[in-house]
Amino acid sequence: MKRLLLIAMMAVGLTVTAQETNFGVIGGFNMTSISTTDSSAGIPLTLSVNGSGFFAGFFVDFEVSDKFSIQPELTYSAGFKNGDSVNSITMPILAKFYVSDKFSLQAGPMLDLVVDETPQEANNFGLGLAGGIGYDVDENVLIVFRYSLGLTNRVNLNNISQKVDYLQIGVGYKF
């Protein structure tokens, strides 16, 4: 799995000279929000559906300096509502800026791929903008709170757009 994360990093063309590299696992609460906007009547009408669930996966933390690191992740995210589910593979690539020894601000792109069967007019791949905060409890344990705003239209229909957002609260462990 470590090799898969390193390959994913190379696939997006991100190279860093790291002072220290840590591998870890991460998981927690996930809320997936799907917002559909129909503007066919001339006035945009938006309907949002939220599903709560979990996320779990792996990360690599590349320390660039004492105040800056880059943390790509590869996670499975699931959201459930009324017996239906949305399952996706997500890959946030977060720049972490440490404002103190333990507290960080995080931002970066988040790629996601919906793995459920979808209609032909649906776009399973998405790009979002993630931002959040992190707290390093100690050298190994970290807590994250972040939101990813979906930027990609997920349906290929006239006058209709659909975007997927994620809210995640989790705990990680560095090896």
Side-chain angles (χ1 to χ4, degrees), residues 36-54:
T36 305
T37 302
D38 184 350
S39 57
S40 60
I43 300 172
L45 175 63
T46 301
L47 173 66
S48 293
V49 177
N50 299 321
S52 59
F54 67 93

Side-chain angles (χ1 to χ4, degrees), residues 22-101:
N22 292 296
F23 295 89
V25 293
I26 192 164
F29 172 78
N30 179 72
M31 185 170 75
T32 306
S33 176
I34 301 173
S35 300
T36 305
T37 302
D38 184 350
S39 57
S40 60
I43 300 172
L45 175 63
T46 301
L47 173 66
S48 293
V49 177
N50 299 321
S52 59
F54 67 93
F55 75 102
F58 304 93
F59 68 87
V60 181
D61 189 312
F62 297 102
E63 182 182 298
V64 178
S65 72
D66 290 341
K67 298 285 184 185
F68 180 72
S69 68
I70 297 175
Q71 181 173 304
E73 300 177 8
L74 187 61
T75 62
Y76 169 78
S77 297
F80 304 95
K81 181 169 183 152
N82 300 330
D84 293 326
S85 66
V86 174
N87 300 288
S88 57
I89 303 296
T90 60
M91 185 178 167
I93 304 169
L94 302 168
K96 294 170 54 176
F97 302 95
Y98 281 88
V99 295
S100 72
D101 288 343

Side-chain angles (χ1 to χ4, degrees), residues 1-164:
M1 192 51 75
K2 290 179 183 180
R3 185 173 283 161
L4 179 61
L5 285 172
L6 291 174
I7 290 170
M9 284 299 299
M10 291 188 303
V12 296
L14 182 63
T15 59
V16 293
T17 304
Q19 292 180 344
E20 184 176 335
T21 302
N22 292 296
F23 295 89
V25 293
I26 192 164
F29 172 78
N30 179 72
M31 185 170 75
T32 306
S33 176
I34 301 173
S35 300
T36 305
T37 302
D38 184 350
S39 57
S40 60
I43 300 172
L45 175 63
T46 301
L47 173 66
S48 293
V49 177
N50 299 321
S52 59
F54 67 93
F55 75 102
F58 304 93
F59 68 87
V60 181
D61 189 312
F62 297 102
E63 182 182 298
V64 178
S65 72
D66 290 341
K67 298 285 184 185
F68 180 72
S69 68
I70 297 175
Q71 181 173 304
E73 300 177 8
L74 187 61
T75 62
Y76 169 78
S77 297
F80 304 95
K81 181 169 183 152
N82 300 330
D84 293 326
S85 66
V86 174
N87 300 288
S88 57
I89 303 296
T90 60
M91 185 178 167
I93 304 169
L94 302 168
K96 294 170 54 176
F97 302 95
Y98 281 88
V99 295
S100 72
D101 288 343
K102 295 183 176 273
F103 184 74
S104 66
L105 301 176
Q106 304 175 1
M110 183 160 132
L111 309 171
D112 73 274
L113 177 67
V114 175
V115 295
D116 296 321
E117 188 174 324
T118 57
Q120 184 176 359
E121 60 274 357
N123 176 9
N124 288 350
F125 177 76
L127 172 66
L129 183 59
I133 57 174
Y135 183 76
D136 294 345
V137 176
D138 59 30
E139 287 184 6
N140 300 98
V141 178
L142 57 104
I143 299 170
V144 297
F145 176 82
R146 63 179 165 234
Y147 182 78
S148 175
L149 176 67
L151 302 175
T152 306
N153 184 9
R154 305 307 279 266
V155 294
N156 299 319
L157 297 172
N158 292 336
N159 301 315
I160 296 177
S161 67
Q162 187 175 72
K163 298 191 177 177
V164 179

